[in-house]
Amino acid sequence: MAAAQGRLSDGAGGMDEANEGDRDGSGTAPPVPPPFRAAVDALRAARLRPQVEVEPAPAPKKLAPFAYALEATVVDGEQDLADGRLVLLHDPAGHDAWRGTFRLVTLIRAELEPEMAADPLLPEVCWSWLTGALQARGLAYGEPSGTVTRASSHYFGGLAERPANSQIEIRASWTPREGRGGAPDTGAHLASWCDLLAQVAGLPPAGPGDASVVTLPQRRGPQAR
């Protein structure tokens, strides 16, 4: 399993261009805070299950002074089963809504069987998967918020031959509790997020300890890569 890689947006040391708002008016970006550096290093060193492929992603420029982003795809052979994006935000001054100096933000998408998409309890179940993935690894977090959206597409006219499809989308954010040195255990949060991504994709649990997890049935006709 390869270690996760990603893109650090801090404008220092020859790295990527600084986020908007990072500069102090003199045209220079502030130095990267040690807690943020440690949090990013932990993300880069995380070991993930082989079905989850992680790639660099541009970090958002306006959400926080410092940001780091990853994109991931759950693959089965040459087929993509689900995809997602995870962003680590850091504001050394703290943020009232976060109740901390770090925030994790995610978007996850996957296609569903139409029968599963019609389940009225599906949004609640998907949200419980997110919180359950964090709790399963014993992670402390606060201020969770988000939405679960399902949508169906039906095709007509020249597209009538295409089968109807349904999609689930999870948008969420939470505040990882800070540990020693002021940095949260971002590597464990990334692993938890990958557990959720794999679960939404319909993969079996990663280990014996996860045998009780109920997974989403694999979508019909996975998209070729």
Side-chain angles (χ1 to χ4, degrees):
M1 294 182 288
Q5 295 296 321
R7 184 172 185 176
L8 175 62
S9 183
D10 61 327
M15 296 184 187
D16 293 332
E17 188 176 318
N19 289 352
E20 293 180 16
D22 283 357
R23 302 185 183 278
D24 57 11
S26 64
T28 60
V32 179
F36 181 67
R37 176 71 66 185
V40 169
D41 287 345
L43 285 174
R44 288 175 166 165
R47 312 297 292 186
L48 310 174
R49 59 188 295 175
Q51 299 94 336
V52 182
E53 296 185 352
V54 179
E55 298 179 345
K61 296 182 177 181
K62 297 182 179 180
L63 298 180
F66 300 91
Y68 178 85
L70 293 169
E71 288 182 348
T73 303
V74 180
V75 297
D76 180 15
E78 295 299 314
Q79 299 172 330
D80 294 352
L81 303 180
D83 61 77
R85 177 179 171 89
L86 184 69
V87 178
L88 174 68
L89 304 176
H90 179 54
D91 187 342
H95 195 292
D96 290 342
W98 302 353
R99 294 181 182 250
T101 62
F102 285 90
R103 189 76 171 171
L104 285 163
V105 183
T106 185
L107 165 65
I108 289 176
R109 296 171 298 198
E111 290 188 19
L112 304 173
E113 292 282 356
E115 296 80 7
M116 177 62 72
D119 186 343
L121 296 179
L122 181 64
E124 289 80 3
V125 170
C126 287
W127 184 255
S128 72
W129 288 348
L130 169 63
T131 57
L134 294 168
Q135 293 166 3
R137 291 183 179 269
L139 295 172
Y141 66 96
E143 308 307 314
S145 64
T147 62
V148 177
T149 304
R150 53 186 166 185
S152 298
S153 297
H154 300 265
Y155 301 94
F156 302 93
L159 301 177
E161 293 184 0
R162 293 188 183 182
N165 65 71
S166 299
Q167 186 180 75
I168 192 75
E169 180 181 277
I170 303 173
R171 293 178 180 267
S173 63
W174 64 94
T175 298
R177 292 305 181 212
E178 298 163 13
R180 269 189 169 181
D185 187 355
T186 50
H189 279 270
L190 175 59
S192 170
W193 179 73
C194 288
D195 291 343
L196 170 65
L197 190 63
Q199 188 174 8
V200 171
L203 295 184
D210 299 323
S212 63
V213 173
V214 178
T215 57
L216 192 68
Q218 182 173 319
R219 71 187 190 186
R220 178 181 297 155
Q223 180 180 353
R225 303 182 70 195

